[in-house]
Amino acid sequence: MSTSKRERERARLREQKWTRRQADARARRRRVWTIAAAVSGVAVVAGVTALAVSANAPDATYTLPPAAAAEDREWTGELRTSAGDIAFTLDGQAAPQAVANFVSLARAGFFDDTDCHRLTTANIFVLQCGDPTGTSTGGPGYTFGPVENTPEDGFFPAGTIAMARAQSTDSQGSQFFLVYEDSTLPTNTGGYTVFGKITSGLDVVRAVADAGTADGAVDGSPATPVTIEGVETQ
């Protein structure tokens, strides 16, 4: 099978996976609403930058938690991927909204079985993940801002974990990037939220980067597929 055919097939499978996840989430929500109504007796329930993501998002099935949910503390966790495990810490004091968001999505299983869809191998050195559609257009159904804890000089050392976004600083959602070599990102568009760092497993990301992109370009899907199998936080 040619590279282009493989890419189309992978995109088709990702889209099918996303559709199933959305349907499952809607079904779970309907079940919760039905139970809530039965218990309460109430029938009605209230209910272009270097690392850009699309501002378009699917219908909301997740809710942005309050920044206070980050508990003003350091979190630890592990990103289990098909390429290897990546341990990390999250700074709930410096970037409370981003950390609360990431922990909430991780515990809801949002990232499970999603692919890291973008690798850059020149000028900036990052692996981008967190899009359930694998197209750079997916998200949790909401966006948030402003940017938190962004370095004034735009320097992101290797091991940094930061939020991707579209042009607006209020367009953060679920997509994030792992910096595998020291990188300097633009500062004139508002910066990027740094919310964590890799404590072990940076070699995993570097091995993916060493294999390059699927089409040999400096910016594209990684030649070594990276699927997030699960995320643990504590």
Side-chain angles (χ1 to χ4, degrees):
M1 184 181 292
S2 68
T3 299
S4 60
K5 288 183 178 179
R6 284 197 299 269
E7 287 301 305
R8 287 197 296 270
E9 179 64 13
R10 287 179 61 192
R12 185 184 67 81
L13 292 174
R14 285 194 296 263
E15 186 64 29
Q16 286 182 344
K17 184 185 298 181
W18 172 246
T19 300
R20 288 196 300 271
R21 285 167 61 86
Q22 289 289 86
D24 290 345
R26 285 193 293 270
R28 287 195 299 271
R29 185 169 57 178
R30 283 195 297 269
R31 287 196 294 270
V32 170
W33 287 357
T34 300
I35 293 170
V39 170
S40 64
V42 178
V44 179
V45 178
V48 169
T49 60
L51 292 160
V53 300
S54 170
N56 297 323
D59 293 338
T61 55
Y62 299 88
T63 302
L64 178 68
E71 300 179 3
D72 196 27
R73 67 175 176 90
E74 181 178 86
W75 296 70
T76 61
E78 186 174 69
L79 196 69
R80 300 192 309 275
T81 82
S82 57
D85 295 340
I86 302 166
F88 57 81
T89 59
L90 305 176
D91 193 340
Q93 182 175 41
Q97 186 62 82
V99 170
N101 175 69
F102 184 87
V103 170
S104 175
L105 292 176
R107 291 184 169 179
F110 179 89
F111 300 115
D112 296 0
D113 301 318
T114 63
D115 294 334
C116 293
H117 60 282
R118 183 183 183 194
L119 175 70
T120 61
T121 60
N123 300 318
I124 58 175
F125 306 95
V126 304
L127 178 66
Q128 191 166 324
C129 313
D131 176 2
T133 70
T135 64
S136 292
T137 65
Y142 59 77
T143 58
F144 67 92
V147 167
E148 307 168 283
N149 192 38
T150 185
E152 292 184 3
D153 59 0
F155 180 67
F156 290 68
T160 298
I161 305 175
M163 293 298 299
R165 61 175 178 81
Q167 288 186 326
S168 167
T169 55
D170 292 334
S171 61
Q172 299 167 109
S174 60
Q175 295 187 44
F176 61 94
F177 58 91
L178 311 174
V179 182
Y180 62 87
E181 298 292 352
D182 292 353
S183 300
T184 300
L185 279 65
T187 59
N188 60 352
T189 58
Y192 302 88
T193 297
V194 174
F195 69 98
K197 63 181 179 180
I198 296 172
T199 55
S200 69
L202 185 57
D203 58 320
V204 172
V205 187
R206 285 175 170 163
V208 172
D210 287 345
T213 63
D215 61 3
V218 298
D219 187 344
S221 60
T224 300
V226 183
T227 300
I228 296 177
E229 297 171 346
V231 184
E232 295 179 359
T233 59
Q234 59 183 3

